[in-house]
Amino acid sequence: MEIQVREVSLKYKRTKQLTVKVTSPEDLVPLIHKTLPDNVREHFLVFHLDGANQVVSSRVVSTGTSNETHARPSDVFQAAIIIGAESIIIAHNHPSGLVEPSDADRAVTRRLKAAGGVLGIKVLDHIIVADNNFYSFKSGGEL
């Protein structure tokens, strides 16, 4: 039996534009807004951090509809593993303008935190952004 494996290639380059030291959710919110392709649909983002809690890269993991998007752990952690991220912060937008997390938002946060625990990559926060407001799972005591 012959086994074929698809080769995955990722070009990684540290950019000065992304280097943001994260000490609180407020530090990352402007970069989240800048990274979002639009605010018409939900987008799930992941920010990769080094050991000094500096953002070294980011990725749009998925784009959904006006009220939902899905994020599989394999998609969220793929680049983090390849670049050797120490931790990640996940984020997504709510086009409705309301930042209150849904039950699905809470479930995906728990699932990704558990997956990160297995992989040795900490999930530091999950931030939901809307127009001029945001919700941090960490600050809200949910992470």
Side-chain angles (χ1 to χ4, degrees), residues 42-56:
E42 283 196 15
H43 303 281
F44 199 93
L45 313 172
V46 61
F47 294 87
H48 309 106
L49 286 78
D50 63 14
N53 282 356
Q54 294 182 96
V55 176
V56 294

Side-chain angles (χ1 to χ4, degrees), residues 64-78:
T65 65
S66 63
N67 62 356
E68 71 176 355
T69 190
H70 300 282
R72 297 182 326 163
S74 59
D75 296 332
V76 170
F77 287 99
Q78 180 183 34

Side-chain angles (χ1 to χ4, degrees), residues 12-82:
Y12 168 69
K13 182 178 178 185
R14 182 182 201 114
T15 63
K16 292 179 184 175
Q17 182 180 16
L18 285 178
T19 304
V20 172
K21 171 99 171 155
V22 180
T23 59
S24 71
E26 290 84 2
D27 296 335
L28 194 58
V29 170
L31 186 57
I32 294 169
H33 282 292
K34 187 175 181 180
T35 306
L36 285 169
D38 62 62
N39 197 32
V40 176
R41 297 166 292 182
E42 283 196 15
H43 303 281
F44 199 93
L45 313 172
V46 61
F47 294 87
H48 309 106
L49 286 78
D50 63 14
N53 282 356
Q54 294 182 96
V55 176
V56 294
S57 68
S58 67
R59 182 170 178 230
V60 177
V61 174
S62 68
T63 298
T65 65
S66 63
N67 62 356
E68 71 176 355
T69 190
H70 300 282
R72 297 182 326 163
S74 59
D75 296 332
V76 170
F77 287 99
Q78 180 183 34
I81 292 166
I82 292 169

Side-chain angles (χ1 to χ4, degrees), residues 88-107:
I88 64 170
I89 295 176
I90 53 177
H92 76 282
N93 63 314
H94 279 178
S96 68
L98 304 173
V99 293
E100 180 65 30
S102 68
D103 291 340
D105 294 337
R106 289 182 172 93

Side-chain angles (χ1 to χ4, degrees), residues 127-140:
I127 300 172
I128 300 171
V129 297
D131 297 325
N132 295 316
N133 203 1
F134 73 93
Y135 177 83
S136 161
F137 277 73
K138 184 176 181 179
S139 296

